Amino acid sequence: RNLPVFNVAVTQRSGRGPVTLECSGAALSTVLDAAQPKYGEARNARLAHALIVKGSDGYSVLLSVAEIDAAPGRPAPILATACEGRDLVAPRLIVPGDAEAGRAVNGVVSIEVVMW
């Protein structure tokens, strides 16, 4: 909660049809940088790593370190701490552009950095 806050609006499919959410939280890349993982000394060693994000319900997703960085026209994934103006009990992974919400993780309990 002490990291810079980003706001994102996403539309994702659900069993009730499209759902639009406005959420705010820290960019996942900023959270990763704050953790200061050791990537090694090889050229572009950071890019040989991925994140496993796990939720309290056992659901987990894999994101490459390269895809969590913001790029022109592509907002960065965030760890939302609030959605629709309400604070969340636990962080929620929001990946803008993920229309199916397959990489949305509710109740994030851990983020593991792995080499692949």
Side-chain angles (χ1 to χ4, degrees), residues 22-23 28 74-75 92-93 96 106 112 116:
E22 292 190 21
C23 299
L28 187 54
R74 187 186 78 202
R92 178 178 183 170
L93 176 64
N106 292 316
E112 181 182 359
W116 57 312

mmCIF file of all heavy atoms in Angstrom, residues 22-23 28 74-75 92-93 96 106 112 116:
data_model
loop_
_atom_site.group_PDB
_atom_site.id
_atom_site.type_symbol
_atom_site.label_atom_id
_atom_site.label_comp_id
_atom_site.label_asym_id
_atom_site.label_seq_id
_atom_site.Cartn_x
_atom_site.Cartn_y
_atom_site.Cartn_z
ATOM 1 N N GLU A 22 -13.240 -0.952 -12.180
ATOM 2 C CA GLU A 22 -12.237 0.098 -12.018
ATOM 3 C C GLU A 22 -11.507 -0.206 -10.724
ATOM 4 O O GLU A 22 -12.106 -0.239 -9.656
ATOM 5 C CB GLU A 22 -12.894 1.470 -11.988
ATOM 6 C CG GLU A 22 -13.485 1.837 -13.326
ATOM 7 C CD GLU A 22 -13.929 3.282 -13.414
ATOM 8 O OE1 GLU A 22 -13.441 4.111 -12.612
ATOM 9 O OE2 GLU A 22 -14.751 3.560 -14.292
ATOM 10 N N CYS A 23 -10.211 -0.473 -10.853
ATOM 11 C CA CYS A 23 -9.418 -0.891 -9.701
ATOM 12 C C CYS A 23 -8.173 -0.029 -9.576
ATOM 13 O O CYS A 23 -7.720 0.572 -10.551
ATOM 14 C CB CYS A 23 -9.019 -2.356 -9.835
ATOM 15 S SG CYS A 23 -10.412 -3.489 -9.920
ATOM 16 N N LEU A 28 2.500 -4.411 -10.726
ATOM 17 C CA LEU A 28 3.178 -5.648 -10.337
ATOM 18 C C LEU A 28 4.686 -5.526 -10.519
ATOM 19 O O LEU A 28 5.457 -6.026 -9.701
ATOM 20 C CB LEU A 28 2.621 -6.821 -11.144
ATOM 21 C CG LEU A 28 3.088 -8.214 -10.766
ATOM 22 C CD1 LEU A 28 2.870 -8.517 -9.289
ATOM 23 C CD2 LEU A 28 2.388 -9.257 -11.631
ATOM 24 N N ARG A 74 -0.028 -0.588 -23.782
ATOM 25 C CA ARG A 74 -0.301 -1.766 -22.962
ATOM 26 C C ARG A 74 -0.100 -1.428 -21.488
ATOM 27 O O ARG A 74 1.036 -1.360 -21.013
ATOM 28 C CB ARG A 74 0.620 -2.921 -23.358
ATOM 29 C CG ARG A 74 0.252 -4.226 -22.644
ATOM 30 C CD ARG A 74 1.239 -5.326 -22.915
ATOM 31 N NE ARG A 74 2.422 -5.095 -22.081
ATOM 32 C CZ ARG A 74 3.613 -5.586 -22.331
ATOM 33 N NH1 ARG A 74 3.815 -6.307 -23.384
ATOM 34 N NH2 ARG A 74 4.622 -5.340 -21.527
ATOM 35 N N PRO A 75 -1.180 -1.211 -20.741
ATOM 36 C CA PRO A 75 -1.023 -0.925 -19.315
ATOM 37 C C PRO A 75 -0.458 -2.130 -18.565
ATOM 38 O O PRO A 75 -0.650 -3.272 -18.979
ATOM 39 C CB PRO A 75 -2.436 -0.625 -18.831
ATOM 40 C CG PRO A 75 -3.307 -0.605 -20.033
ATOM 41 C CD PRO A 75 -2.550 -1.223 -21.160
ATOM 42 N N ARG A 92 -5.743 -8.275 -5.387
ATOM 43 C CA ARG A 92 -6.286 -8.988 -6.548
ATOM 44 C C ARG A 92 -5.411 -8.658 -7.745
ATOM 45 O O ARG A 92 -5.143 -7.485 -8.024
ATOM 46 C CB ARG A 92 -7.713 -8.522 -6.803
ATOM 47 C CG ARG A 92 -8.363 -9.152 -7.998
ATOM 48 C CD ARG A 92 -9.782 -8.662 -8.139
ATOM 49 N NE ARG A 92 -10.433 -9.312 -9.253
ATOM 50 C CZ ARG A 92 -11.718 -9.231 -9.499
ATOM 51 N NH1 ARG A 92 -12.499 -8.525 -8.709
ATOM 52 N NH2 ARG A 92 -12.234 -9.841 -10.539
ATOM 53 N N LEU A 93 -4.932 -9.678 -8.455
ATOM 54 C CA LEU A 93 -4.152 -9.453 -9.660
ATOM 55 C C LEU A 93 -5.104 -9.078 -10.787
ATOM 56 O O LEU A 93 -6.048 -9.819 -11.081
ATOM 57 C CB LEU A 93 -3.357 -10.702 -10.042
ATOM 58 C CG LEU A 93 -2.564 -10.611 -11.348
ATOM 59 C CD1 LEU A 93 -1.478 -9.540 -11.265
ATOM 60 C CD2 LEU A 93 -1.967 -11.962 -11.706
ATOM 61 N N PRO A 96 -4.725 -5.984 -17.369
ATOM 62 C CA PRO A 96 -5.476 -5.303 -18.429
ATOM 63 C C PRO A 96 -5.305 -6.024 -19.771
ATOM 64 O O PRO A 96 -4.233 -6.534 -20.085
ATOM 65 C CB PRO A 96 -4.838 -3.907 -18.474
ATOM 66 C CG PRO A 96 -4.291 -3.710 -17.096
ATOM 67 C CD PRO A 96 -3.801 -5.080 -16.684
ATOM 68 N N ASN A 106 -7.798 -13.698 -7.388
ATOM 69 C CA ASN A 106 -8.386 -13.060 -6.209
ATOM 70 C C ASN A 106 -7.670 -13.535 -4.956
ATOM 71 O O ASN A 106 -7.258 -14.680 -4.863
ATOM 72 C CB ASN A 106 -9.878 -13.405 -6.100
ATOM 73 C CG ASN A 106 -10.687 -12.783 -7.200
ATOM 74 O OD1 ASN A 106 -10.510 -11.615 -7.526
ATOM 75 N ND2 ASN A 106 -11.567 -13.561 -7.807
ATOM 76 N N GLU A 112 5.847 -15.930 -6.365
ATOM 77 C CA GLU A 112 7.136 -16.615 -6.390
ATOM 78 C C GLU A 112 7.857 -16.289 -7.700
ATOM 79 O O GLU A 112 7.255 -16.365 -8.771
ATOM 80 C CB GLU A 112 6.911 -18.113 -6.266
ATOM 81 C CG GLU A 112 8.178 -18.929 -6.259
ATOM 82 C CD GLU A 112 7.894 -20.424 -6.181
ATOM 83 O OE1 GLU A 112 6.730 -20.845 -6.118
ATOM 84 O OE2 GLU A 112 8.884 -21.191 -6.193
ATOM 85 N N TRP A 116 13.017 -20.015 -15.697
ATOM 86 C CA TRP A 116 12.437 -20.978 -16.643
ATOM 87 C C TRP A 116 13.298 -21.162 -17.833
ATOM 88 O O TRP A 116 14.293 -20.591 -18.026
ATOM 89 C CB TRP A 116 11.024 -20.592 -17.042
ATOM 90 C CG TRP A 116 10.858 -19.243 -17.642
ATOM 91 C CD1 TRP A 116 11.357 -18.056 -17.189
ATOM 92 C CD2 TRP A 116 10.126 -18.905 -18.789
ATOM 93 N NE1 TRP A 116 10.958 -17.031 -17.980
ATOM 94 C CE2 TRP A 116 10.200 -17.508 -18.986
ATOM 95 C CE3 TRP A 116 9.398 -19.636 -19.718
ATOM 96 C CZ2 TRP A 116 9.580 -16.853 -20.041
ATOM 97 C CZ3 TRP A 116 8.777 -18.966 -20.750
ATOM 98 C CH2 TRP A 116 8.879 -17.587 -20.892
#
